[in-house]
Amino acid sequence: MKLPLTPIRFLQCADRQFPQKTAVIDGDRRFTYSQFAERCRRLAGVLKAWNLPRGARVAYLAYNTHPLLEGYYGVLMAGCVLLPLNIRLSTEDFVVILNHSQARVLLFHSDFSETVEAIRPRLENARHFLCLDRGQAADWADPESYDDRLAGSSPDLKWDPFALDEDEVAEIFYTSGTTGRPKGVMLTHRNLYLHGLEAGLAVGTRESDVHLHTIPLFHVNGWGAPQTLTGMGGTHVMLPAFDPAEVFRLIEEHRVSVFFLVPTMATALVNHPDASRYDLSSVRMISLGGAAANSMLVEQVERTFGCLCVSGYGLTETSPVVTLSRPKSHLELDDADRLELQAMTGYPIPGAEVEIVDGNGSALPWDGETVGEIVVRSNGVMKGYFGDDEENLRLFQDGWFHTGDMATIDSQGYVLIVDRKKDIIISGGENISSLEIEKALLSHPAVLECAVIAVPDGRWGEVPKALVVLKAGSIAAEEELIRHARERLASFKCPKSVEFFDSLPKGGTGKILKRELREQYWKDQKKRVH
């Protein structure tokens, strides 16, 4: 027998095996797996009643709350594609993404009503706008709230697993690309199901786990937690926005056992003055990712929470987890070596294969010294970028996905990323396109040329810095250029500093040599970027 692989089966299993167990905790609301599954089926019923075509994109502009988690299953049950939007993007970003993806539906929290109202006239395909809470919605939105719609919907009980093609797209996440234009990463039902199994095995997800969703569900498939935890019947604890005191409170109240952090979150938690006031003894594991970690931070996390802390590596394009830095049991390590190892990128999870290659695609030695581009093949690697056949051909070569990240691999198989081919800046776990910032700065009348690079930052790991050459006779201050960028970009994308130059180094083709510019800022750093 061959059952199509789909994450919907994770929910189906949890519903049958753990119907009365608490599935989701969101503020003062709790849902058992029976209730959660029915809400997902009712959501599918709402979408089907709108007669959406198969594969229609259903977008969410939402906080980390139970309606978005329900979308991970209900949207798929309706034969549609889930499209979570990064709430930190600009209105222009939303217009570009929603039109490029041809989204038919937009579900949103009332806090974003003004944003939706502003972009709605420019959307080419969206016809249904549904508010996720009971806040005041405008007359252009559905007259009923999300909960009212679900209450009036018939749960879709006719889902047939054999009627589904496991290679159909289930989710699309938009990520910054080297061109500055967002790229829609297409993850299939098969991608998500097998990644859920493999990542869950690597992380060691348990039925008894209580997972706090510190990572936004709109970010990189929620790092796989919506599938891995549901498949095992664990409990989801929702966190609408990251706040250290609230994280501590939820851990103590709900006996949280597992959660994920980007290093900026970890730094905020371990340095919080009230950390010792809370009972954190339930936590058994924390995983760091999304930006550079170091052995000191790993040690601080383990000391604060009394648990294992490991690092990981992945991309939106890989569902996302590729490696984890769990220490291998046969290695004889003292504490310093163990902590250093756990701050590395790690070794591949089951089902993933990783190599480093040179510019010709030839495999390089695992000696911990030779640097090459990371290539990956796994069941989690995306179907491709939506509507971008040229980029797909470039990145998929000889059966491998080319990540653009540069790394070494040591004799024990541990990967350490040391640089990046792309000019993407990862600040606090968010991808930022340097070209997009450059375009905004170049629109200022005083700017002749500029380069935006990542520079080290103690809080965010790395942040954008603009290196600018002004036109002859022109004057512009640092504050003026940052303000100019902020008027055109989401605030987290804006350069944190500007430095002025008479000229910028260029290669033979006239291309600005960013690597040379970066060197002066990173020369004293052991690790370049993660």
Side-chain angles (χ1 to χ4, degrees):
M1 181 180 294
K2 183 180 179 181
L3 277 171
L5 306 181
T6 170
I8 299 171
R9 289 171 55 195
F10 291 148
L11 179 61
Q12 186 180 51
C13 175
D15 182 23
R16 291 179 176 177
Q17 300 302 322
F18 309 102
Q20 301 310 312
K21 182 181 178 182
T22 299
V24 183
I25 300 172
D26 188 355
D28 59 359
R29 303 191 72 177
R30 288 176 177 247
F31 304 100
T32 65
Y33 265 108
S34 176
Q35 293 168 331
F36 178 55
E38 177 163 339
R39 289 178 66 87
C40 295
R41 289 192 291 265
R42 287 182 179 275
L43 172 58
V46 170
L47 297 175
K48 285 190 172 183
W50 286 339
N51 295 316
L52 300 172
R54 189 164 189 85
R57 267 67 75 190
V58 177
Y60 281 73
L61 187 56
Y63 298 116
N64 249 27
T65 53
H66 70 87
L68 180 50
L69 185 62
E70 289 159 6
Y72 267 78
Y73 293 95
V75 170
L76 276 56
M77 287 176 170
C80 298
V81 176
L82 176 68
L83 172 58
L85 297 169
N86 184 337
I87 62 174
R88 299 179 66 194
L89 295 177
S90 67
T91 55
E92 189 62 32
D93 292 324
F94 294 140
V95 171
V96 170
I97 291 171
L98 291 169
N99 284 339
H100 183 264
S101 66
Q102 303 166 18
R104 297 293 190 98
V105 178
L106 178 57
L107 295 92
F108 61 96
H109 275 117
S110 58
D111 284 359
F112 304 109
S113 292
E114 290 185 7
T115 298
V116 178
E117 185 166 18
I119 66 175
R120 188 178 59 89
R122 300 172 61 191
L123 300 183
E124 298 168 358
N125 303 96
R127 297 294 180 268
H128 299 278
F129 301 87
L130 179 59
C131 190
L132 292 170
D133 51 27
R134 296 185 182 277
Q136 186 65 35
D139 56 6
W140 45 262
D142 193 294
E144 296 188 80
S145 73
Y146 174 78
D147 273 351
D148 290 338
R149 272 290 180 188
L150 261 58
S153 168
S154 298
D156 181 17
L157 303 175
K158 300 178 181 178
W159 181 72
D160 177 7
F162 290 99
L164 183 144
D165 180 355
E166 65 184 32
D167 292 320
E168 286 183 343
V169 177
E171 300 174 354
I172 295 182
F173 288 84
Y174 274 78
T175 184
S176 295
T178 55
T179 63
R181 178 173 57 82
K183 295 182 182 298
V185 173
M186 298 185 292
L187 301 178
T188 67
H189 288 260
R190 185 177 191 275
N191 287 150
L192 298 171
Y193 182 86
L194 290 174
H195 176 269
L197 291 181
E198 294 164 1
L201 183 62
V203 172
T205 305
R206 306 170 184 174
E207 176 266 332
S208 58
D209 274 333
V210 178
H211 183 105
L212 179 60
H213 283 277
T214 45
I215 301 300
L217 291 175
F218 62 67
H219 184 67
V220 195
N221 187 34
W223 287 16
Q227 295 91 26
T228 57
L229 193 70
T230 300
M232 290 301 295
T235 299
H236 300 265
V237 179
M238 310 312 296
L239 181 68
F242 180 79
D243 174 75
E246 183 67 359
V247 169
F248 291 135
R249 187 188 71 80
L250 291 173
I251 291 172
E252 180 177 85
E253 180 179 353
H254 301 301
R255 307 301 294 159
V256 169
S257 59
V258 178
F259 56 98
F260 305 148
L261 297 170
V262 297
T264 52
M265 293 177 176
T267 299
L269 291 172
V270 300
N271 290 293
H272 196 279
D274 295 333
S276 61
R277 293 178 48 197
Y278 294 87
D279 179 2
L280 308 176
S281 61
S282 59
V283 180
R284 69 174 183 85
M285 195 190 79
I286 294 171
S287 180
L288 303 178
N294 57 66
S295 59
M296 182 181 298
L297 181 59
V298 172
E299 181 181 27
Q300 289 175 320
V301 170
E302 291 195 344
R303 185 169 62 247
T304 300
F305 292 92
C307 69
L308 175 69
C309 176
V310 299
S311 302
Y313 167 71
L315 306 91
T316 309
E317 292 87 343
T318 56
S319 294
V321 184
V322 175
T323 66
L324 284 176
S325 65
R326 280 183 177 274
K328 297 179 180 179
S329 61
H330 70 281
L331 298 179
E332 297 181 2
L333 304 168
D334 59 25
D335 280 348
D337 288 341
R338 177 184 64 81
L339 292 169
E340 193 66 37
L341 182 149
Q342 288 170 209
M344 293 178 68
T345 307
Y347 61 94
I349 67 172
E353 298 177 34
V354 171
E355 290 284 357
I356 52 172
V357 299
D358 62 19
N360 297 317
S362 300
L364 295 170
W366 292 14
D367 57 12
E369 298 291 337
T370 306
V371 176
E373 181 185 4
I374 296 179
V375 293
V376 178
R377 57 187 179 196
S378 80
N379 295 304
V381 172
M382 66 173 179
K383 186 172 187 175
Y385 293 119
F386 178 68
D388 200 337
D389 293 339
E390 182 178 342
E391 187 72 353
N392 292 334
L393 288 173
R394 186 180 71 82
L395 294 179
F396 288 91
Q397 299 176 30
D398 303 320
W400 294 89
F401 172 70
H402 288 244
T403 67
D405 292 322
M406 308 299 287
T408 64
I409 304 180
D410 68 17
S411 60
Q412 298 295 336
Y414 283 84
V415 181
L416 176 64
I417 297 179
V418 296
D419 209 339
R420 183 177 293 113
K421 283 173 62 177
K422 313 175 209 176
D423 291 321
I424 291 294
I425 300 163
I426 301 181
S427 184
E430 294 285 357
N431 285 2
I432 302 171
S433 167
S434 61
L435 296 182
E436 186 178 13
I437 304 173
E438 290 165 7
K439 182 178 179 181
L441 291 173
L442 287 168
S443 68
H444 190 284
V447 175
L448 175 64
E449 60 184 14
C450 69
V452 173
I453 61 171
V455 296
D457 181 83
R459 182 181 182 190
W460 301 109
E462 58 186 38
V463 294
K465 182 181 184 68
L467 313 178
V468 172
V469 177
L470 297 177
K471 295 176 182 177
S474 295
I475 298 174
E478 178 182 42
E479 295 78 12
E480 179 183 352
L481 293 183
I482 293 175
R483 184 170 61 251
H484 181 81
R486 189 171 289 120
E487 292 171 355
R488 290 157 176 77
L489 302 169
S491 60
F492 75 93
K493 294 183 178 182
C494 294
K496 299 299 182 286
S497 61
V498 177
E499 190 170 345
F500 296 94
F501 290 76
D502 293 330
S503 63
L504 297 175
K506 300 180 179 66
T509 61
K511 184 177 180 180
I512 296 173
L513 300 176
K514 288 188 178 181
R515 182 182 295 275
E516 184 176 317
L517 289 167
R518 281 194 294 261
E519 185 60 28
Q520 61 182 304
Y521 301 98
W522 289 94
K523 60 184 178 183
D524 296 325
Q525 301 290 318
K526 183 175 181 180
K527 299 177 187 178
R528 295 303 173 98
V529 284
H530 277 235

